[in-house]
Amino acid sequence: MARGAPLLEVSDVARAFYGLRALTGVSFGVRQGTITGLIGPNGAGKTTLFNVISGMLRADAGRVTFAGWDATNRAPHLISRAGLVRSFQIARGFPRLTVRENLMLYARDNPGERMSRALLWNAKTRQAEREIGARAAAVADRLGLRAVLDNPASALSGGQKKLLEIGRTMMASPSMILLDEPAAGVNPSLTRTIAGHVRALADEGMTVLIIEHDMTLVRELCDPVIVMTEGRTLVEGTFAAVAGDARVQEAYLGKKQWH
Amino acid sequence: MDNYLIAMATIACVYGLMTVSLNLSWGVTGMVNLGIAGFFGIGAYTSALLTTRLGWPVVAGVASAMVAGALVGAVLSIATLRLRDDYLAIVTLGFAEIVRLVALNELWLTNGSDGISGIPAPIPRGYGYGFSLAFLALIAALLALAAWSASRLQRSPYGRVLRAIRDDADVTAVAGKDVVRFKLKTFALSTAIAGAAGAMYGHYTSFVAPDLFAPLLTIYIFLALTIGGTGNVKGAVLGAFVLIAILEGSRYSAAFLPELSAVQQSAVREMVVAALFLLCLRFRPRGLVPERMGAAGE
């Protein structure tokens, strides 16, 4: 892939729910190695767009290209295996699995996930599982989840669930992650911690596309920032440029009324 | 051991195969199979027909019953897996009734309500007591094999994916798992086991007929698994034995109620089963042997 070419490219993506046009034409590119912010008022279609990119929702029109591969309307597991893995805004997942299992589940190419290998359960399969277990423990260490590794995911605090969301995406060894409001509803000190984790991942070469409403976090982490409103992309630029844009202020605060 | 007890233990093992089957699909993966009786019937007739009409050996008959169960299970799940979860339940429920009605009406093949008799056994019936004991050993070994495999599968990374699907299939797909494939394979394996149960039943009693797999059978299997503990193989097997103990034990309650007619006594028996089930739901809602968490990879 040419240097500077976008790793993820979204062009003219549209999606309607019966009469409601949630996405009307979203186009942008995410360059490799960036932490790109995706902001916009509630209802702008950010999460719907994530659902389309990750294959959980079909696009009515448009195209999603990831690392030169046409990812439009592919099955979610194929998109994740291609190295593009998303997190969820309202920490979703597996309440009856432990934190360790939540993490280990996301590992790719686990031979023990094949029925025959699971039944044979030979040394090689066990070894692969052990290595994945060690990786899960390392990810948990890094995120401060070591102490709760064997707790059910349902027993975690809200903040720990947010950390687990990030940890699960890490376990898939992706080249790019989509984070849907990783700091929503967490206290300011944990927001700092989460920002640190995202920054560290980017420093290791991970490309990140992040939906976030916490503008302090967006200003600190994201460059560039893409603004969506009413189902389409509005502007793209540095945080300062975007924040100073009259159209963006209007989208967030509403049009000045003439009296 | 008393002949009666041996017979009951044998039937409990047949039920155990079905609870292990249901535990795999419903208990572990969350796929509701309301057609257990239908797969039991498919297995019973497949093996009965192949061994009586074509003279196949019993082993080949039972193996074919498992293949037939797996194939039918795969077809039904392919047809419904991309739809909402409850469609599988509806389709399997209808399927079981279709199997029963076909068995009842296609006289050329199934002999209708007269059923198929003279089904051979893997051990000569002439041995009498020896036959009963040997057959019990055989079916107990088969149940042990099925339970061991199911338990190993459940504790493996494969089973971790199944339990993840049960919690949230969409997120499991995001985790990179081909959810449809996992569901399909697991459902086919579970219906193969139910098919084996039907085949073994026929070879044990030498007779199969459509009324053996009425919808009540499916309900009994759900009851047994719920009492034993969903999501736990030990619970599944225990539940089958508890169910048979209750069903058979309640026969003796008739002796305490001599003023009731036979029909009334059999109704009392159903009431006893229902009351015990309610007590279980009230005091052990997760069953006698609840599911353990975090068992993968041990």
Side-chain angles (χ1 to χ4, degrees):
Chain A
M1 199 172 41
R3 194 177 150 72
L7 179 62
L8 174 73
E9 195 159 21
V10 176
S11 34
D12 300 316
V13 166
R15 165 77 199 201
F17 298 97
Y18 303 99
L20 178 74
R21 297 168 69 200
L23 300 175
T24 54
V26 183
S27 301
F28 62 81
V30 177
R31 277 177 294 116
Q32 193 151 11
T34 61
I35 304 176
T36 302
L38 185 62
I39 65 169
N42 285 324
K46 304 180 297 292
T47 295
T48 304
L49 179 68
F50 264 28
N51 287 340
V52 168
I53 295 174
S54 59
M56 299 180 79
L57 262 184
R58 291 187 70 81
D60 297 333
R63 205 175 148 84
V64 178
T65 313
F66 178 69
W69 173 67
D70 182 4
T72 323
N73 295 336
R74 302 272 187 174
H77 68 273
L78 296 179
I79 291 169
S80 291
R81 284 185 202 167
L84 176 60
V85 179
R86 69 167 296 173
S87 76
F88 293 90
Q89 177 186 351
I90 306 155
R92 263 175 89 169
F94 316 109
R96 285 179 282 182
L97 265 52
T98 63
V99 170
R100 190 193 301 274
E101 289 179 314
N102 265 269
L103 291 169
M104 291 177 74
L105 181 78
Y106 267 62
R108 279 201 263 178
D109 304 323
N110 185 347
E113 287 177 2
R114 296 231 300 273
M115 192 188 265
S116 53
R117 297 283 206 96
L119 285 172
L120 287 173
W121 200 234
N122 62 19
K124 208 174 143 197
T125 316
R126 283 200 300 271
Q127 178 60 24
E129 175 79 349
R130 263 198 299 277
E131 282 165 13
I132 290 165
R135 271 184 54 218
V139 166
D141 268 340
R142 187 168 161 177
L143 296 171
L145 293 172
R146 186 64 187 246
V148 294
L149 256 179
D150 289 309
N151 293 13
S154 54
L156 295 182
S157 72
Q160 288 170 328
K161 282 178 184 166
K162 290 300 222 184
L163 290 166
L164 179 58
E165 282 287 324
I166 296 173
R168 288 203 313 227
T169 62
M170 287 164 66
M171 281 300 291
S173 319
S175 47
M176 175 169 177
I177 53 178
L178 308 172
L179 299 177
D180 194 351
E181 296 200 38
V186 305
N187 65 57
S189 121
L190 186 57
T191 301
R192 308 259 43 80
T193 310
I194 288 171
H197 289 311
V198 174
R199 168 66 66 203
L201 286 173
D203 288 345
E204 290 161 21
M206 182 95 78
T207 308
V208 184
L209 178 63
I210 179 168
I211 296 177
E212 190 49 68
H213 280 297
D214 183 332
M215 287 305 149
T216 323
L217 191 69
V218 174
R219 182 173 57 209
E220 184 186 325
L221 280 180
C222 302
D223 184 29
V225 174
I226 296 159
V227 185
M228 273 182 74
T229 180
E230 291 170 356
R232 61 195 164 78
T233 28
L234 187 66
V235 287
E236 180 179 337
T238 62
F239 182 82
V242 160
D245 193 298
R247 290 169 299 170
V248 175
Q249 291 166 1
E250 186 189 306
Y252 268 95
L253 302 172
K255 199 173 275 186
K256 229 178 236 169
Q257 298 291 317
W258 184 83
H259 292 284
Chain B
M1 201 172 14
D2 186 57
N3 241 326
Y4 172 73
L5 282 180
I6 295 173
M8 287 314 112
T10 306
I11 297 300
C13 287
V14 171
Y15 274 58
L17 284 171
M18 285 187 278
T19 51
V20 167
S21 158
L22 184 65
N23 185 53
L24 196 57
S25 62
W26 177 54
V28 181
T29 322
M31 291 186 286
V32 179
N33 181 359
L34 293 180
I36 293 275
F39 294 103
F40 181 84
I42 291 275
Y45 272 93
T46 301
S47 196
L49 288 170
L50 289 174
T51 51
T52 55
R53 302 268 171 92
L54 303 180
W56 285 26
V58 171
V59 174
V62 175
S64 307
M66 293 184 73
V67 171
L71 283 178
V72 176
V75 169
L76 288 189
S77 53
I78 285 171
T80 55
L81 279 184
R82 284 166 215 276
L83 302 173
R84 243 175 37 221
D85 286 349
D86 31 358
Y87 280 84
L88 181 67
I90 296 162
V91 166
T92 49
L93 180 66
F95 154 77
E97 266 311 272
I98 291 169
V99 171
R100 197 174 65 83
L101 292 173
V102 167
L104 202 53
N105 292 295
E106 297 300 317
L107 300 178
W108 61 274
L109 183 68
T110 64
N111 211 21
S113 57
D114 289 345
I116 298 171
S117 50
I119 304 167
I123 307 141
R125 288 182 207 282
Y127 294 175
Y129 186 73
F131 163 78
S132 304
L133 263 188
F135 198 97
L136 175 59
L138 189 66
I139 187 127
L142 194 64
L143 175 61
L145 177 68
W148 178 84
S149 308
S151 163
R152 179 157 220 173
L153 217 48
Q154 188 178 339
R155 286 185 285 113
S156 74
Y158 183 92
R160 184 167 60 217
V161 177
L162 299 185
R163 288 179 293 125
I165 290 172
R166 182 181 65 183
D167 274 355
D168 193 327
D170 293 337
V171 182
T172 310
V174 168
K177 316 305 169 197
D178 189 343
V179 170
V180 168
R181 204 181 147 87
F182 273 98
K183 280 183 163 183
L184 176 64
K185 283 167 84 170
T186 306
F187 196 72
L189 178 63
S190 83
T191 53
I193 296 171
M200 290 304 285
Y201 183 86
H203 292 297
Y204 176 60
T205 62
S206 84
F207 173 69
V208 295
D211 59 349
L212 287 174
F213 45 99
L216 184 64
L217 177 62
T218 300
I219 294 170
Y220 276 152
I221 300 305
F222 270 86
L223 260 167
L225 184 55
T226 307
I227 291 172
T230 50
N232 189 307
V233 177
K234 278 186 199 133
V237 174
L238 177 67
F241 278 80
V242 168
L243 177 82
I244 295 298
I246 294 171
L247 285 178
E248 291 302 317
S250 56
R251 282 184 200 280
Y252 295 100
S253 65
F256 301 103
L257 301 161
E259 62 274 21
L260 295 182
S261 72
V263 175
Q264 287 170 320
Q265 280 169 349
S266 108
V268 166
R269 185 167 164 235
E270 301 294 329
M271 284 161 63
V272 170
V273 173
L276 286 171
F277 181 58
L278 286 175
L279 284 175
C280 177
L281 285 182
R282 173 67 185 79
F283 295 105
R284 300 284 299 204
R286 297 179 63 215
L288 296 170
V289 192
E291 180 180 357
R292 286 184 313 135
M293 280 192 68
E298 276 171 16

